[in-house]
Amino acid sequence: MYKIMIFIDGTWLYRTLPRLAESCGKQEFKVDYGILPKVIARELGEYLGVGALGVDVVRNHLFASLPTNYDPQDAQLITRQEEFYRLLKEDYHYQTEIFAIDFRGRRVRHGDRNPEDTFQPREKCVDIALASQLLFYAALPSAMDIAVVVLGDRDFIPMLNTARRLGKRVAIVSVRSSCAQELAEPHDQAGVKDFGVIWMDDLLDELELRYEPQELECQSPDHQGDRHFWTTYRPRRGEPVYCDACRQAYAERRNGGQQQDAGEDYEDYPPQEGMPGLGETLGGVVDFKKEDKGYGFITTDDGVSFFFHLTDLEGGLAFENLDEGQEVIFEVKALPKGGKAGAAQRVRPPEEAAE
Ligand SMILES: [Zn+2]
């Protein structure tokens, strides 16, 4: 099994979208970030001759920026962008690193600003954050076998060279019209890659987001305040929809006041009794650790087993110092199914439970 991590230059991808739209003759093109890692895994699995099941996407990272100090007329635009980053994190389990860009009171879209205004928004940290994170994981012995980067800028060449010197294989996912020559070149003089570039241009049909986030109205009679919320969920005709807050409140009441998340899918609403919900925080002990492979299992007080990878550790926990029998808390990333253990994320020391 090949472990891969995906590192997306969100700023580059966002800039590239109009070109992708053009190449499929549409007004606009939106990427389905839920599908993207699966398509990448399949493409790499084919290259490696192991199929999609031979490739395990252990983590997706996205680096991007978000305007601050912008003209209040753009509030809705920015709320929508914030909501998009939240979806990536909560629904698709991306690790997101988002950096503020100061707009100094200006409108966010260039076309909405006074044409005589020479103001240039300056993005900070995004490239360096991507490079630091990638090289951090490349330097860990067992975090990943292949670093997959979704980008096109030449600035990343030294990072790709270094990742390969650390013994990791590198795959590049890019867009033909927005990819630096040195990255694209089949003979790879720059020494940046171990596979042919995976061109998004060739996969547009699969990568297009068909269920984009939409604004719905919460129909809970107990709802407080503005009823509008954004979601990618598509309710069936006539099916009532509820915002996160109302689902959570409902779940808490149902569980006699105990804290319990309603889970991510509306399919789970109302939640099944006795089953932990996705995203719920549970406590347990580390009961097995596979040193050389960088993973282990946590058993909860109820005897349910959850898998974790070293990259799921947080709050100062380091894989090498983790003892079997040590108490931890974690978030449920996947539920146990058919005798298979569940999966844990955000594994951290119990002290943080008080938050
Ligand atoms: Zn509500």
Side-chain angles (χ1 to χ4, degrees):
M1 178 73 94
Y2 292 91
K3 277 185 285 187
I4 72 170
M5 283 198 193
I6 300 173
F7 299 85
I8 302 173
D9 177 354
T11 305
W12 169 84
L13 188 50
Y14 185 75
R15 272 203 326 259
T16 306
L17 294 177
R19 301 194 184 189
L20 289 179
E22 220 171 275
S23 66
C24 54
K26 294 191 174 173
Q27 287 284 1
E28 117 179 298
F29 185 87
K30 290 194 168 168
V31 174
D32 186 332
Y33 285 90
I35 298 283
L36 179 66
K38 298 186 180 93
V39 170
I40 290 174
R42 191 202 59 213
E43 292 288 310
L44 276 181
E46 271 171 32
Y47 270 119
L48 293 160
V50 294
L53 294 174
V55 175
D56 184 17
V57 184
V58 292
R59 184 144 297 189
N60 302 310
H61 301 262
L62 180 123
F63 303 83
S65 49
L66 186 69
T68 54
N69 194 16
Y70 46 82
D71 186 314
Q73 292 182 76
D74 287 327
Q76 223 181 355
L77 182 73
I78 303 308
T79 307
R80 190 155 183 193
Q81 210 169 335
E82 282 168 346
E83 186 62 15
F84 165 69
Y85 292 140
R86 195 189 65 77
L87 282 172
L88 272 190
K89 200 174 152 145
E90 295 179 7
D91 291 13
Y92 298 139
H93 303 294
Y94 276 65
Q95 296 290 114
T96 53
E97 284 191 46
I98 310 298
F99 298 91
I101 304 186
D102 188 347
F103 271 74
R104 302 177 190 214
R106 306 309 207 279
R107 295 297 302 270
V108 169
R109 289 196 176 111
H110 185 257
D112 291 337
R113 291 198 289 271
N114 183 339
E116 281 157 38
D117 188 348
T118 55
F119 171 73
Q120 288 282 354
R122 279 178 196 266
E123 186 173 84
K124 303 268 193 215
C125 302
V126 174
D127 293 0
I128 303 286
L130 189 158
S132 311
Q133 195 71 270
L134 186 146
L135 291 176
F136 171 78
Y137 285 117
L140 291 177
S142 46
M144 61 176 171
D145 304 309
I146 303 168
V148 179
V149 292
V150 182
L151 45 76
D153 292 344
R154 151 178 311 112
D155 299 6
F156 289 109
I157 291 172
M159 171 193 80
L160 299 173
N161 295 150
T162 307
R164 297 183 70 225
R165 267 170 41 215
L166 286 164
K168 302 302 171 186
R169 285 194 253 181
V170 169
I172 298 174
V173 177
S174 197
V175 172
R176 285 197 179 87
S177 58
S178 311
C179 184
Q181 171 72 30
E182 295 91 325
L183 301 178
E185 181 180 80
H187 299 300
D188 194 26
Q189 306 253 350
V192 290
K193 60 184 186 281
D194 297 274
F195 305 90
V197 175
I198 298 171
W199 295 114
M200 292 177 72
D201 317 50
D202 300 336
L203 301 162
L204 292 183
D205 217 33
E206 285 178 273
L207 293 177
E208 186 175 10
L209 178 71
R210 295 196 170 79
Y211 300 98
E212 58 184 282
Q214 61 174 352
E215 202 173 17
L216 296 179
E217 267 180 67
C218 176
Q219 280 150 41
S220 164
D222 305 324
H223 186 92
Q224 315 255 313
D226 183 6
R227 289 185 175 273
H228 292 88
F229 67 104
W230 288 95
T231 178
T232 50
Y233 180 69
R234 285 286 177 277
R236 285 177 282 269
R237 194 185 297 261
E239 177 189 6
V241 290
Y242 307 97
C243 70
D244 283 347
C246 289
R247 285 160 64 217
Q248 176 113 17
Y250 181 92
E252 277 167 26
R253 268 208 311 276
R254 199 182 155 90
N255 288 284
Q258 275 177 307
Q259 180 76 22
Q260 164 137 13
D261 279 348
E264 300 198 325
D265 294 318
Y266 283 74
E267 310 289 337
D268 297 343
Y269 180 85
Q272 280 174 273
E273 260 169 297
M275 265 306 258
L278 285 177
E280 186 179 349
T281 300
L282 299 177
V285 296
V286 176
D287 71 346
F288 174 73
K289 208 175 97 170
K290 185 90 176 144
E291 282 306 333
D292 57 327
K293 299 281 189 197
Y295 68 81
F297 290 90
I298 300 163
T299 302
T300 65
D301 304 340
D302 299 332
V304 184
S305 212
F306 287 86
F307 169 89
F308 71 95
H309 184 251
L310 62 86
T311 53
D312 296 310
L313 300 177
E314 281 187 4
L317 285 185
F319 187 74
E320 55 278 20
N321 303 331
L322 203 61
D323 294 319
E324 291 179 8
Q326 185 170 339
E327 282 186 39
V328 290
I329 59 169
F330 63 94
E331 244 175 56
V332 177
K333 177 158 91 181
L335 295 171
K337 209 189 220 168
K340 253 185 80 184
Q345 65 184 356
R346 303 200 56 218
V347 179
R348 52 207 196 272
E351 298 87 81
E352 289 195 7
E355 282 185 357

